[in-house]
Amino acid sequence: LCLLGAPLGPGAAARHRGAQQCLSLAGVECVLFNEEYLTCTWGSRETLTANYSLYYWYENRSPVVECKHYLQDQGISIGCRLNQSEIIQFQPFHVLVNASLGGRTLEIPSERMQLQDLVKPEAPVNLTIRNMSSNQLQLTWTSPYPKAQCLEHAVKYRSNKDTSWTEHQVKGDVFSLPSVDYEKYYTFYVRSKINSYCGSTQLWSEWSVPVVWGSNSTSKGTAEEQLHWFWIHTVFIPIASCLLLLVLVVLLVRMERVWVILMPRIPNPSKNFDELFITHNGNFQEWAGVPKDVVESFKPNYSENICYVSELPPKESYEPLWESSNHPPSVMPGALAAPREHSPYKNSYVGV
């Protein structure tokens, strides 16, 4: 677009030649990001030289309103941002841009727009791969877009031995890869866009952060996650283990008493009796230090006489015990013979 007007520079040459000021403006492009905010842009700092103002309105609904939040690049307005409270879907939307240059103003109207056809969802997140039966992989994800039923998705993947990407259109949030080679590793991406039931658009979201699966993938996740786990496994864990081992050694050396309390030694009483059996040959009195006079006092110092007892036969078959022999029984020394006339039995003697 070019704005013709009076010459801007001084001098006769300029006055006779006139001047032509051109506004480099290809048009206004509006995008509704994830139904959270709307941006309308009309160029960049390198191509814009005028001052621009944006006005918008909804057909048969609201008055013309000037943009409240301009997007600027080094002091030059290159776009406008509308918050969620200023967005109305399924209503015809109009935009008007005013360009001011050299005291002249040029109005640049835009075409009639439907905001539901300008929605660009946010990229899917939380990509997860699961191993299924028969060498099958299942890829799942979630979308930050508030109306998941209005989305369709595209999945692209390739192995480390492929030269091109394979892309599939997916209606839901699950994708199954029927056969995989465990000798390869695979990289997956997912993106989303509004389906035909909720709008008419070709605005796809950005590709998601990749997820990796396979033999050369130490962990299933993004490259950033793999680098993170690499540092944890190779640097942090060995250093932490060495420090912990060093602390335990210091504690064991300096806290022997605590160790004795936690793990007490089992006493060995046999050492206390080594002197009894080795030095004193099992003599308990000598080992215990009992005086000899006390030991002698416990020894017996008396004797007892022997007592002979004879069994008397019954009275019916009574015979003197000495009739069967030629000599009567002898009487023990010191024994007293009881008189015959006073004994209840004949020819019997009891001596003590």
Side-chain angles (χ1 to χ4, degrees):
L1 296 177
C2 294
L3 179 65
L4 299 177
L8 297 178
R15 286 193 300 269
H16 290 286
R17 188 170 59 246
Q20 179 176 295
Q21 302 294 327
C22 293
L23 305 178
S24 177
L25 182 63
V28 180
E29 295 182 358
C30 296
V31 178
L32 179 56
F33 289 94
N34 213 51
E35 295 193 8
E36 296 177 358
Y37 62 92
L38 174 72
T39 61
C40 294
T41 58
W42 50 82
S44 62
R45 183 183 62 83
E46 288 78 10
T47 59
L48 300 180
T49 57
N51 293 325
Y52 297 89
S53 300
L54 182 140
Y55 299 86
Y56 69 92
W57 69 94
Y58 294 94
E59 191 173 303
N60 300 325
R61 186 175 180 89
S62 62
V64 177
V65 180
E66 184 179 2
C67 174
K68 298 178 183 178
H69 306 283
Y70 283 102
L71 304 176
Q72 293 188 338
D73 185 4
Q74 298 184 9
I76 298 178
S77 298
I78 61 172
C80 175
R81 170 174 172 149
L82 276 67
N83 295 327
Q84 190 174 21
S85 59
E86 303 172 282
I87 298 172
I88 302 176
Q89 294 192 50
F90 301 97
Q91 292 290 332
F93 181 71
H94 295 268
V95 171
L96 175 66
V97 177
N98 285 343
S100 299
L101 182 64
R104 300 292 185 93
T105 300
L106 178 64
E107 293 184 352
I108 309 170
S110 68
E111 297 180 356
R112 182 172 178 264
M113 295 177 286
Q114 295 285 347
L115 295 185
Q116 68 271 12
D117 297 335
L118 304 176
V119 177
K120 181 178 181 179
E122 191 173 342
V125 295
N126 298 330
L127 274 67
T128 305
I129 297 178
R130 295 182 177 88
N131 286 329
M132 309 300 289
S133 60
S134 302
N135 298 333
Q136 183 180 2
L137 293 183
Q138 185 182 78
L139 173 66
T140 60
W141 60 88
T142 57
S143 176
Y145 186 67
K147 301 175 183 178
Q149 70 275 10
C150 289
L151 293 178
E152 62 180 75
H153 309 277
V155 177
K156 72 174 183 178
Y157 66 90
R158 74 176 182 183
S159 70
N160 59 319
K161 297 183 180 180
D162 295 332
T163 57
S164 61
W165 293 93
T166 302
E167 186 170 339
H168 292 277
Q169 303 293 326
V170 182
K171 295 297 182 182
D173 55 359
V174 177
F175 172 74
S176 296
L177 189 60
S179 179
V180 294
D181 185 355
Y182 282 89
E183 298 298 327
K184 303 177 183 179
Y185 67 92
Y186 297 80
T187 304
F188 296 85
Y189 291 86
V190 182
R191 66 177 181 175
S192 307
K193 84 176 186 70
I194 303 299
N195 59 31
S196 58
Y197 299 102
C198 298
S200 176
T201 178
Q202 296 301 320
L203 295 175
W204 285 91
S205 70
E206 302 297 331
W207 287 106
S208 66
V209 177
V211 62
V212 180
W213 179 93
S215 59
N216 290 347
S217 175
T218 57
S219 62
K220 298 175 184 178
T222 65
E224 292 81 2
E225 291 175 344
Q226 294 179 20
L227 182 61
H228 174 72
W229 285 109
F230 170 79
W231 283 104
I232 290 179
H233 287 290
T234 60
V235 178
F236 178 75
I237 293 180
I239 293 178
S241 301
C242 293
L243 291 178
L244 180 61
L245 182 61
L246 180 61
V247 170
L248 290 176
V249 171
V250 172
L251 290 177
L252 289 177
V253 172
R254 296 193 175 185
M255 301 180 66
E256 185 177 358
R257 294 182 179 178
V258 176
W259 179 254
V260 171
I261 294 175
L262 295 177
M263 298 292 293
R265 297 178 181 178
I266 300 176
N268 186 7
S270 63
K271 295 182 179 180
N272 299 329
F273 297 97
D274 289 343
E275 186 179 359
L276 172 62
F277 296 101
I278 296 175
T279 306
H280 300 282
N281 296 323
N283 191 333
F284 180 81
Q285 290 83 1
E286 183 179 347
W287 174 73
V290 180
K292 292 184 177 180
D293 54 348
V294 176
V295 176
E296 294 294 335
S297 64
F298 286 98
K299 293 182 179 181
N301 55 359
Y302 61 90
S303 60
E304 295 181 354
N305 295 326
I306 300 175
C307 178
Y308 293 91
V309 178
S310 299
E311 182 180 1
L312 298 178
K315 292 182 179 182
E316 291 80 4
S317 60
Y318 170 76
E319 292 182 0
L321 295 175
W322 59 85
E323 289 182 358
S324 60
S325 61
N326 298 325
H327 304 284
S330 61
V331 181
M332 294 296 295
L336 299 178
R340 293 183 180 179
E341 58 274 15
H342 299 291
S343 177
Y345 303 99
K346 290 184 179 182
N347 301 327
S348 63
Y349 297 90
V350 179
V352 179

